[in-house]
Amino acid sequence: MPQVPQRLDASAVRAWCGFALRALGRAREEIDAINVYPVADGDTGTNLYLTVESATAAVEAVFAGHAALAGGKEAPGGPEALDGREALDGHEAVTGQVVSPGRVPEGPALADAVHAMAHGALIGARGNSGTILAQLLRGMAQVLAADSDATHTDGQGLRLALRRAADSARQAVVHPVEGTVLTVASAAADAASGAEGDCGAVARAAYEGARAALAATPGQLAVLERAGVVDAGGRGLVAVLGALVETFTGEAPAAAAVPVLAGHARVGADSGATGLHARLDAAVTEPLGELGEVGECADGTPAPEEGGPAFEVIYLLEAEDAAVARLRDRLDALGDSLVVVGGDGLWNVHVHVDDAGAAVEAGVEAGRPYRIRITHFGLDDAHTTGAGSRPVRERVERAVVAVVPGEGLAGLYAEAGATTVLARPGEPPASGELVEAVRRAHAREVVLLPNDAELRHTAAAAAEQARTEGVRVALIPTRSAVQGIAALAVHEPGRRFDEDVVAMTSAAGATRYAEVEVAERQSWTMAGICQAGDILGLIEGDVAVIGSDVTATAEAVLNRMLAAGGEMVTLVLGDEAPDTIAAHLESRVRESYLAVDTVVYRGGRQGALLLIGVE
């Protein structure tokens, strides 16, 4: 048997996240399929997966930061070695721990790992189900990272953490309903509270309690009973708790069929997805008013009645507690399916409304909303129309899906007809987000533009997943948004797919790219040593120019690029770029390079001060 953690520590948190992500990856399609109400497209499994993927990435970042620091552990003397004060400052920045000078602990602290897990889940939460899971993880973190004399690394600590998780998630849902993931979480906490022994025993008790509660959910919600399925959000939580068992025992719980009602097709690993979807479609087409009681979302919030709100609005919000309390009341009056999770100044807000603008305005009044996502359920969703008259939305023939680094470029790409995925500085999208965007494009053929060299493998994984779902996907390995602009400029949906992909690939490959950014720290580069605050000009990913002035550095970069020839210069300005830089560079091109055109776009908060493309 492989070595397993004997107590709750950072390594156990890391292992749990990894096992949970794998478990949800395996169960995602099954969970999506049983998410039958209120929106018939079924995305609970995907939302849970993306939420845990974000939590996992945050935990891995803590370990990566610690490992980078540990490279200097017991650093030798000499001019290049870290002194004791530098080692202390660096480690505090990564983990918050205070350590003896010159020495780094063997691993991150438990508090750092659980805080990262909860924060990653909060900022990456998707849908009701992901938002509630984020609050469950936050509740656990509040116990496991508590600053007290009591130990939280044993079975007793895990029992307390599971109890806090269930209670805090229930409090986050404005109108909790039984028969949902909230019920499953409470049952897991109840079962854990009666368990004796180590973390493995407590985790197994919680898992078994959750499974029993999940099997009972159809008896608590008529909409589940009519469809013959269990609650989708609760099914996802059972998978996450199964991963917790595997973390502390080294053995995954025996795979079992998902409980369904007698007389219905079994939903499990051996049930066909096609038959399942067909049966669920039949269940959903029953008039919703005949269910006999008010249904609810598969994750704990009351379901809207027939003809409910048309939009799902989600955003992160920086706000004080008092302002959030007022926001809850305001949003509760605007719509339903309201879940507000978080704390300490950062919140994740989820609501279904008819007036999406009013929901966002309410967030502006409360604080600073950002990463705003508004989804129109559409005429083909049972949420907004009588399910019996639900039309089938036809797929378009071809679409382009592109990752873009700023809001300005997102608007530009969208105007050109592309489906966009926004990548903010330091927040690269996960493969699941790209798959979701491909689904959102709703096309038979998709051209995928990652627009970042580091996203190539992520995009390849997304393309492979989309192909398994019957979508023909071509990945063009664009390494910059300016290459994506060039590819999009020659995109012709009326051409044969292969011909279109070849033309777009050729245009992208013929575009050299560069960016101008500010150095964050001292480091060695291809152009020499740079200091924090220096202006860097990178051509094709390598530092070519180091300067102190943004405009002068950009001009030097542009001159180097045009020395090899060019017909078109594309400039994409970030929010922090000087106001005069575009006019200066345009003038420079006009005076020194005949027959070269320049086009300027506003990129918004894109990380780099300036993106440059030369075709």
Side-chain angles (χ1 to χ4, degrees):
M1 179 182 296
Q3 184 177 2
V4 296
Q6 299 302 308
R7 60 189 179 90
L8 263 168
D9 58 12
S11 295
V13 173
R14 184 187 199 184
W16 182 29
C17 287
F19 288 137
L21 189 63
R22 185 178 67 183
L24 287 171
R26 291 173 174 171
R28 179 186 61 78
E29 291 185 2
E30 170 198 309
I31 297 171
D32 282 346
I34 64 174
N35 178 203
V36 297
Y37 186 81
V39 183
D41 55 359
D43 59 359
T44 292
T46 299
N47 287 338
L48 288 169
Y49 180 87
L50 292 173
T51 302
V52 172
E53 187 176 48
S54 181
T56 302
V59 173
E60 289 298 327
V62 168
F63 274 84
H66 186 277
L69 182 67
K73 182 164 59 176
E74 308 221 349
E80 297 179 358
L82 292 174
D83 63 25
R85 183 66 253 169
E86 290 171 330
L88 176 60
D89 289 345
H91 193 65
E92 285 177 338
V94 174
T95 69
Q97 289 179 279
V98 177
V99 299
S100 58
R103 189 168 185 84
V104 180
E106 293 183 0
L110 171 62
D112 299 315
V114 295
H115 276 314
M117 175 182 68
H119 181 73
L122 178 67
I123 65 174
R126 297 299 188 93
N128 287 0
S129 52
T131 306
I132 292 176
L133 178 60
Q135 188 68 5
L136 287 166
L137 297 180
R138 176 179 170 79
M140 294 188 71
Q142 288 174 333
V143 171
L144 299 177
D147 186 11
S148 68
D149 295 332
T151 178
H152 299 298
T153 62
D154 56 5
Q156 172 64 8
L158 184 56
R159 285 194 290 270
L160 294 173
L162 290 169
R163 180 79 272 161
R164 176 70 67 84
D167 292 345
S168 62
R170 188 171 290 271
Q171 292 166 5
V173 178
V174 176
H175 299 292
V177 175
E178 298 306 324
T180 66
V181 65
L182 299 177
T183 303
V184 175
S186 295
D190 292 342
S193 66
E196 299 293 338
D198 59 10
C199 291
V202 173
R204 189 172 293 279
Y207 171 76
E208 294 299 339
R211 283 194 70 242
L214 178 66
T217 56
Q220 295 170 292
L221 283 175
V223 64
L224 299 178
E225 183 176 15
R226 183 174 294 274
V229 297
V230 295
D231 176 68
R235 171 68 181 91
L237 181 58
V238 167
V240 172
L241 291 173
L244 189 63
V245 174
E246 186 173 4
T247 298
F248 289 111
T249 67
E251 298 179 354
V258 180
V260 293
L261 301 181
H264 289 280
R266 185 169 73 83
V267 182
D270 59 349
S271 59
T274 302
L276 175 62
H277 278 292
R279 211 186 59 72
L280 294 182
D281 283 344
V284 173
T285 56
E286 294 292 334
L288 302 182
E290 297 180 7
L291 295 180
E293 66 181 74
V294 177
E296 60 94 50
C297 300
D299 43 21
T301 56
E305 297 181 9
E306 182 177 344
F311 296 96
E312 177 186 57
V313 179
I314 305 173
Y315 50 79
L316 291 178
L317 177 70
E318 293 179 356
E320 300 297 326
D321 291 5
V324 171
R326 294 191 295 270
L327 176 66
R328 287 176 187 266
D329 294 338
R330 175 83 180 277
L331 293 179
D332 192 26
L334 286 174
D336 54 40
S337 297
L338 174 58
V339 186
V340 181
V341 304
D344 301 322
L346 181 63
W347 308 82
N348 191 306
V349 179
H350 173 284
V351 66
H352 293 174
V353 293
D354 277 323
D355 190 344
V360 175
E361 289 173 5
V364 173
E365 292 177 6
R368 187 178 78 88
Y370 61 102
R371 293 184 69 172
I372 300 167
R373 295 173 56 86
I374 299 174
T375 302
H376 184 243
F377 290 126
L379 295 177
D380 55 333
D381 291 328
H383 184 76
T384 56
T385 65
S389 60
R390 182 180 49 171
V392 177
R393 178 181 162 207
E394 290 293 331
R395 287 182 180 269
V396 298
E397 186 62 29
R398 188 175 308 161
V400 176
V401 173
V403 180
V404 290
E407 294 89 343
L409 280 180
L412 174 68
Y413 272 74
E415 287 176 8
T419 298
T420 62
V421 178
L422 189 60
R424 298 187 184 278
E427 299 178 15
S431 61
E433 292 180 83
L434 300 187
V435 173
E436 184 183 27
V438 171
R439 295 184 185 126
R440 206 164 65 237
H442 206 62
R444 296 182 178 87
E445 301 169 341
V446 170
V447 180
L448 184 56
L449 306 175
N451 291 341
D452 187 334
E454 295 185 0
L455 286 178
R456 181 170 182 175
H457 294 299
T458 300
E464 187 61 31
Q465 173 61 39
R467 291 183 188 113
T468 67
E469 299 178 9
V471 182
R472 187 181 184 188
V473 181
L475 170 62
I476 298 179
T478 49
R479 294 170 289 173
S480 171
V482 292
Q483 288 188 323
I485 291 173
L488 200 56
V490 300
H491 170 52
E492 289 287 349
R495 276 193 298 230
R496 290 179 54 247
F497 184 64
D498 292 339
E499 293 176 354
D500 197 29
V501 170
V502 169
M504 295 175 72
T505 302
S506 177
T511 302
R512 301 189 300 282
Y513 66 94
E515 61 185 68
V516 178
E517 61 184 35
V518 180
E520 296 180 355
R521 63 183 67 85
Q522 182 190 57
S523 62
W524 289 92
T525 75
M526 296 287 289
I529 300 175
C530 72
Q531 305 296 327
D534 282 348
I535 307 302
L536 306 180
L538 293 86
I539 299 177
E540 304 283 323
D542 292 325
V543 176
V545 179
I546 300 174
S548 58
D549 179 77
V550 176
T551 302
T553 302
E555 182 177 339
V557 169
L558 189 53
N559 285 335
R560 290 197 183 196
M561 298 179 74
L562 288 173
E567 298 176 355
M568 170 73 75
V569 171
T570 301
L571 304 176
V572 183
L573 306 179
D575 280 346
E576 303 300 321
D579 293 336
T580 59
I581 190 171
H584 178 86
L585 295 178
E586 283 185 286
S587 175
R588 171 64 178 162
V589 171
R590 195 164 48 246
E591 294 171 359
S592 304
Y593 302 95
L594 299 177
V596 176
D597 295 323
T598 304
V599 60
V600 180
Y601 301 112
R602 293 283 175 178
R605 292 175 292 174
Q606 62 185 24
L609 298 172
L610 175 69
L611 301 178
I612 302 174
V614 174
E615 299 177 44

